[in-house]
């Protein structure tokens, strides 16, 4: 049985309805508390930072020889029945996902690059939502203007530790990656 989405992006949707609806739409969207939000066009600095991040994470995975994969934006992370986000990059480990999948069920690392319009969502609803996923170990928020990484890391129990880094290396363990902060950003 297939899930039929409600009519139009103004109707409230479940995550299942949203994934079916979004696949056939031009542009990019996210689902927050059952409401569909269009994603704005990106600035070049934002796009270049996403590319640099994708490349840095991929290189780190290859260096560490881990059974993990990095994906750029375009795939969805389902938070619950009423929220699905599209991060700027993510890492998952284990078996390769079905090439036709549109969602990643167990991300280990999620990256969001701040933009003026979505800053409050990335540091609020997404921070809370992503850490509801048991698989998530690291949430990196990249501030391109300050060339700063806000690294939220799951610790013991329900504790989330935060580190703000402008230089040096980020230790992303698990899964066992080391990434230089400078490598996450496009050249100035």
């Amino acid at each position: 049985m297939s899930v039929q989405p409600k009519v139009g992006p103004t109707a409230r949707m479940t995550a299942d309805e949203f994934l079916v609806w979004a696949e056939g739409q031009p542009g990019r969207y996210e689902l927050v508390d059952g409401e569909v939000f269009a994603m704005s066009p990106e600035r070049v600095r934002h796009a270049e930072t996403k590319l640099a991040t994708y490349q840095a994470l991929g290189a780190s995975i290859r260096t560490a020889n881990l059974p993990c994969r990095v994906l750029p934006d375009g795939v969805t992370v389902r938070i619950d029945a009423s929220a699905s986000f599209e991060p700027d990059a993510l890492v998952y480990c284990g078996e390769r996902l079905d090439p036709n999948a549109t969602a990643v069920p167990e991300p280990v690392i999620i990256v969001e690059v701040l933009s003026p319009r979505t800053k409050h969502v990335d540091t609020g609803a997404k921070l809370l939502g992503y850490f509801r996923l048991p698989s998530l170990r690291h949430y990196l928020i990249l501030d391109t203007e300050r060339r700063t990484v806000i690294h939220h890391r799951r610790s013991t129990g329900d504790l989330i530790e935060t580190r703000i880094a402008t230089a040096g290396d980020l230790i992303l363990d698990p899964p066992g990656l080391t990434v230089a902060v400078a490598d996450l950003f496009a050249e100035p």
Side-chain angles (χ1 to χ4, degrees), residues 50-93:
K50 288 189 328 184
L51 176 60
T53 297
Y54 173 80
Q55 291 171 331
L57 289 169
S60 182
I61 289 168
R62 286 187 298 280
T63 298
N65 197 28
L66 292 173
C68 300
R69 295 180 186 274
V70 61
L71 294 174
D73 64 347
V75 295
T76 299
V77 173
R78 181 183 169 152
I79 304 303
D80 59 24
S82 65
S84 293
F85 302 140
E86 185 182 312
D88 289 321
L90 64 80
V91 171
Y92 73 94
C93 299

Side-chain angles (χ1 to χ4, degrees), residues 155-168:
S155 188
T156 56
D158 291 337
L159 183 63
I160 305 299
E161 297 175 343
T162 301
R163 173 182 173 223
I164 298 172
T166 57

Side-chain angles (χ1 to χ4, degrees), residues 120-143:
H120 68 285
V121 175
D122 293 339
T123 59
K126 286 186 179 182
L127 171 64
L128 295 173
Y130 285 141
F131 275 108
R132 290 178 49 206
L133 302 172
S135 65
L136 188 72
R137 307 309 295 176
H138 307 275
Y139 177 36
L140 307 178
I141 301 172
L142 280 59
D143 183 334

